[in-house]
Amino acid sequence: MSETRIDHDRLFKELLSTFFEEFVLLLFPRVYEHVDFHHLSFLSEEVLTDVTAGEKHRVDLLVETKLKGEDGLIIVHIEHQSYIQPTFSERMFIYFSRLFQKHRRRILPIAIFSYDATRGEPSSFTVEFPFLTVLDFRFLTIELRKLPWREYIRQDNPVAAALLSKMGYNEDERIEVKKEFLRMLIRLELDEAKQRLLFGFFETYLRLSEEEEIRLRNEVNTMEEKEAAKVMELIVSYEQRGMVKGMEKGMEKAKMDVAKRMLAKGYDADTIHELTGLPLEKIEQMKK
């Protein structure tokens, strides 16, 4: 899957908003102690305009909560760009200052770096003179690629399971990473919707080849019998869902091809709708 076709923001936002408490507990345990998760709401998307650069930036996740009994906000910004951005820390400060100006309450800023490279990212923005520090703005950061994935596989945390796909494994460990992800998924015993969310996130960033999938099955067969059966059942279940989805896409494409040919021969939209089952709106769009 090409980089341009992945909606990184949507994937991360869905994962973190569904499992926000687990996310904080996993990556920021000291913060976890101070957040009241009984008072938690996700605010509408904030769009901040950089007047000087003429650009608009979106805050990925803005969470309203209570911090030590006082109303507060948590900003979570997900950074996917793989190239170095010298002004990133300045941009984080702008996010913070604009939101503080609007909400006038304590705000905790967090930056998650999800790209595949490893490098040292800044966690502060400073404005100073030899005689005075005017500003020393700091924010929490996590570079996912720097996280040692093996240290997270014993945790019964759904965010840990999903983020294995973005942690610091090498190419030779891909099969083992997916095997441990499946074992975590079995232990978590989540409902189908949440399980599907985790599986979809993981597969987006770590998809095995056919040869690797065969090797994975061989490794699963060496596991303890009950666990192996559950993991294999999970694998087969998602393979079948993928096949059905592929068939549905194939059928849709076939209908579209037929509709295009019928339009070329002068058939009206109502007739095409009756014969193919395609929505009239879609047929009208095909005319343009």
Side-chain angles (χ1 to χ4, degrees):
M1 186 178 293
S2 66
E3 186 75 11
T4 56
R5 300 170 90 180
I6 298 176
D7 190 345
H8 300 284
D9 294 333
R10 182 189 63 79
L11 283 167
F12 272 86
K13 189 171 183 178
E14 190 174 1
L15 176 69
L16 300 189
S17 59
T18 303
F19 301 107
F20 187 74
E21 183 174 354
E22 292 88 345
F23 157 70
V24 176
L25 176 62
L26 178 74
L27 298 177
F28 303 101
R30 290 184 62 189
V31 175
Y32 183 84
E33 299 172 5
H34 296 270
V35 177
D36 183 353
F37 291 96
H38 293 98
H39 296 85
L40 204 68
S41 61
F42 297 90
L43 304 186
S44 59
E45 189 176 66
E46 294 273 355
V47 179
L48 306 176
T49 303
D50 185 339
V51 178
T52 56
E55 298 177 347
K56 289 186 177 180
H57 301 287
R58 298 177 187 275
V59 173
D60 295 317
L61 215 58
L62 184 60
V63 186
E64 186 175 44
T65 185
K66 288 187 180 294
L67 300 167
K68 280 291 187 182
E70 180 184 331
D71 290 344
L73 296 172
I74 300 177
I75 311 169
V76 181
H77 176 70
I78 316 296
E79 188 57 48
H80 310 286
Q81 304 296 339
S82 58
Y83 54 84
I84 295 175
Q85 300 178 76
T87 61
F88 178 80
S89 57
E90 180 180 340
R91 183 147 51 95
M92 283 295 291
F93 170 68
I94 291 172
Y95 289 165
F96 175 89
S97 58
R98 298 275 177 83
L99 290 170
F100 184 81
Q101 183 180 30
K102 178 178 179 178
H103 296 279
R104 296 288 176 167
R105 65 183 71 172
R106 291 192 300 172
I107 301 175
L108 175 66
I110 298 174
I112 308 295
F113 298 96
S114 67
Y115 41 69
D116 295 331
T118 57
R119 60 172 185 260
E121 287 292 344
S123 60
S124 65
F125 175 63
T126 306
V127 177
E128 60 184 346
F129 297 93
F131 52 84
L132 177 68
T133 298
V134 176
L135 173 69
D136 187 10
F137 170 71
R138 299 177 181 274
F139 50 96
L140 297 174
T141 64
I142 284 288
E143 288 187 61
L144 296 179
R145 196 62 178 169
K146 286 185 175 181
L147 300 181
W149 68 276
R150 292 182 189 278
E151 293 184 9
Y152 292 87
I153 59 177
R154 301 294 173 224
Q155 298 198 35
D156 292 334
N157 186 310
V159 176
L163 291 183
L164 286 182
S165 60
K166 296 295 293 178
M167 292 184 186
Y169 57 85
N170 58 48
E171 286 298 303
D172 295 334
E173 296 174 320
R174 286 162 49 86
I175 296 170
E176 191 177 358
V177 173
K178 184 168 182 179
K179 181 181 72 174
E180 294 300 336
F181 163 73
L182 293 169
R183 296 177 76 180
M184 292 176 75
L185 217 53
I186 294 297
R187 292 200 311 270
L188 287 167
E189 298 182 341
L190 300 170
D191 62 56
E192 185 178 346
K194 289 180 178 178
Q195 190 181 82
R196 191 164 59 244
L197 167 60
L198 297 185
F199 205 100
F201 185 99
F202 184 92
E203 286 278 296
T204 298
Y205 295 109
L206 203 169
R207 185 180 293 275
L208 300 183
S209 66
E210 289 186 17
E211 180 185 349
E212 288 173 323
E213 286 288 353
I214 293 171
R215 290 167 56 193
L216 172 64
R217 287 172 180 252
N218 291 336
E219 290 199 18
V220 170
N221 287 331
T222 66
M223 293 163 54
E224 187 272 327
E225 187 176 350
K226 287 185 179 179
E227 186 181 32
K230 290 180 180 179
V231 171
M232 194 60 73
E233 182 182 348
L234 191 62
I235 292 173
V236 172
S237 170
Y238 278 91
E239 279 185 352
Q240 290 174 342
R241 290 179 194 175
M243 288 172 63
V244 169
K245 191 173 182 181
M247 289 171 64
E248 289 173 348
K249 284 185 178 179
M251 291 172 66
E252 183 75 7
K253 184 178 184 302
K255 288 179 181 180
M256 297 281 283
D257 291 341
V258 170
K260 287 176 182 176
R261 290 198 296 271
M262 293 178 74
L263 283 170
K265 292 182 178 180
Y267 284 83
D268 62 85
D270 288 331
T271 302
I272 297 172
H273 166 67
E274 184 179 345
L275 294 176
T276 65
L278 288 172
L280 284 170
E281 297 82 8
K282 184 168 286 189
I283 297 168
E284 292 295 336
Q285 288 175 0
M286 292 169 65
K287 288 181 178 181
K288 299 176 182 177

